Amino acid sequence: MTEIITSSQNSFVKKLRELNDRKIRNTQRKLLAEGPKLVAEALKEGLTPFEALIEEGHVSLLADIVHDLSEKGAEVKACSAQVLKSIGETRTPQGIAVSFSMPTPFDLKKEPALIAALDGVQDPGNVGGIWRTADAAGFGAVLFSDGCADPMSPKVIRSAMGSAFRLPALCSTDFVQNLITLRDSGFRIIVSALDGEDFFTAMPEKNGKCVLVIGSEGHGIRPSVRECATDVLRLPMQGGAESLNANVAAGIMLYSLSFGLHRR
C-alpha cells in the first residue's frame, strides 16, 4: 500500500461510498462495514471482503486485519483521514471501511423454534438493537417486513454489531403470508399490542415454537398482521408510563420467551 488516496472522488472511494444507497447494495449484494470490530466479525462469520480502505495512521495498528483481508482476496488501499470520513455517516471513523458480501438470507423452511419478526420498525437503531438482542437471547432468525428500515444499511449494521452477520434474517416480500405459513406449521404468532393480555401470565408453555412480532414505533402492528396472531400480549405497566421504546419492550419479551420456553 504505497499509494495514499487523498481525493474523495477517487473511483475506489466511490465504490465504497455508493453502498450507502439501498438500491446499489441490493443490486451488488454488498454491505459496508466500518470499524475494526465489525470488520473482524464479518471476517469471522465468513463474509467475502471486496474493497477495503485503511486510514494511513491505522495501517500498522490494523496489520492483522489487513493481512486477513488480503488473504481473503480483498483489494486493500490506504487513504487520508478526510477521505475515510467521506465514506460513511459516522462522525469519528474508526480507521477502516470494507465492502463485504451480504449474508445468505434466512430460509423460512428451516423453521427454528424462535423467530423475531419486525413489522414496520423504521428506526435503524431499534432494528439493529432488536436484532442484536434476538441473537443474544438465542433466537434462530429475524423476519423483516418491507416497511422496516433496511437491515443492510450501515446504521443498522452498526447497531446490530456482529449479530447482523451471525443471526440469519429475511427481508420478506409477503410478511403476512409468511406468518400464516408459520402459524399453519405449528408456530404461535405472538403479537405485541397495548390492548393485549398480560404477557407474563399468558406466555406460552415450555418448548413451544413461536414468532414474536414487534410493531412500528408510531403505529404498532398492522391490522392484517394482527389477524395472523394466535396471541395478542402486552407488557404490564406498573408505573405511570403508557408504553416502552420498541427496542426495550422487544428485549424484555425476547429474553422472557427464550428463557421461559427453551431454557435448559
Side-chain angles (χ1 to χ4, degrees), residues 202-251:
M203 200 169 68
E205 297 294 327
K206 287 186 177 181
N207 300 319
K209 298 190 298 183
C210 74
V211 180
L212 175 64
V213 187
I214 304 296
S216 74
E217 298 87 349
H219 305 289
I221 299 290
R222 288 174 293 161
S224 59
V225 172
R226 181 166 176 148
E227 289 176 6
C228 304
T230 59
D231 304 83
V232 179
L233 306 181
R234 62 173 174 82
L235 287 176
M237 300 293 156
Q238 302 296 330
E242 294 181 357
S243 63
L244 291 171
N245 171 275
N247 195 354
V248 173

Side-chain angles (χ1 to χ4, degrees), residues 152-176:
M152 293 294 107
S153 72
K155 286 183 179 180
V156 172
I157 295 296
R158 286 196 299 273
S159 297
M161 301 299 289
S163 298
F165 312 139
R166 185 168 43 250
L167 182 62
L170 175 66
C171 295
S172 174
T173 56
D174 197 340
F175 190 74
V176 170

Side-chain angles (χ1 to χ4, degrees), residues 5 10-19 24 28 30-34 39 48-54 69-70 72-78 84 87 96-101:
I5 298 175
N10 180 281
S11 60
F12 192 83
V13 177
K14 286 182 177 180
K15 284 183 182 180
L16 288 167
R17 191 185 302 120
E18 285 176 345
L19 295 178
I24 292 176
Q28 297 184 6
K30 289 181 180 180
L31 58 84
L32 180 65
E34 301 173 79
V39 171
T48 302
F50 296 102
E51 298 95 10
L53 267 180
I54 317 292
L69 289 167
S70 299
K72 297 289 185 180
E75 187 176 4
V76 184
K77 297 190 177 184
L84 190 66
I87 291 173
I96 185 170
V98 183
S99 63
F100 282 96
S101 59

Side-chain angles (χ1 to χ4, degrees), residues 92-171:
T92 54
Q94 299 176 53
I96 185 170
V98 183
S99 63
F100 282 96
S101 59
M102 287 186 180
T104 302
F106 162 60
D107 183 356
L108 206 62
K109 294 178 182 178
K110 291 185 177 180
E111 294 187 359
L114 296 173
I115 300 173
L118 278 62
D119 181 33
V121 178
Q122 297 176 341
D123 181 87
N126 284 340
V127 171
I130 294 170
W131 199 346
R132 186 178 181 183
T133 304
D135 180 22
F139 273 60
V142 182
L143 183 65
F144 297 102
S145 76
D146 57 9
C148 289
D150 179 18
M152 293 294 107
S153 72
K155 286 183 179 180
V156 172
I157 295 296
R158 286 196 299 273
S159 297
M161 301 299 289
S163 298
F165 312 139
R166 185 168 43 250
L167 182 62
L170 175 66
C171 295

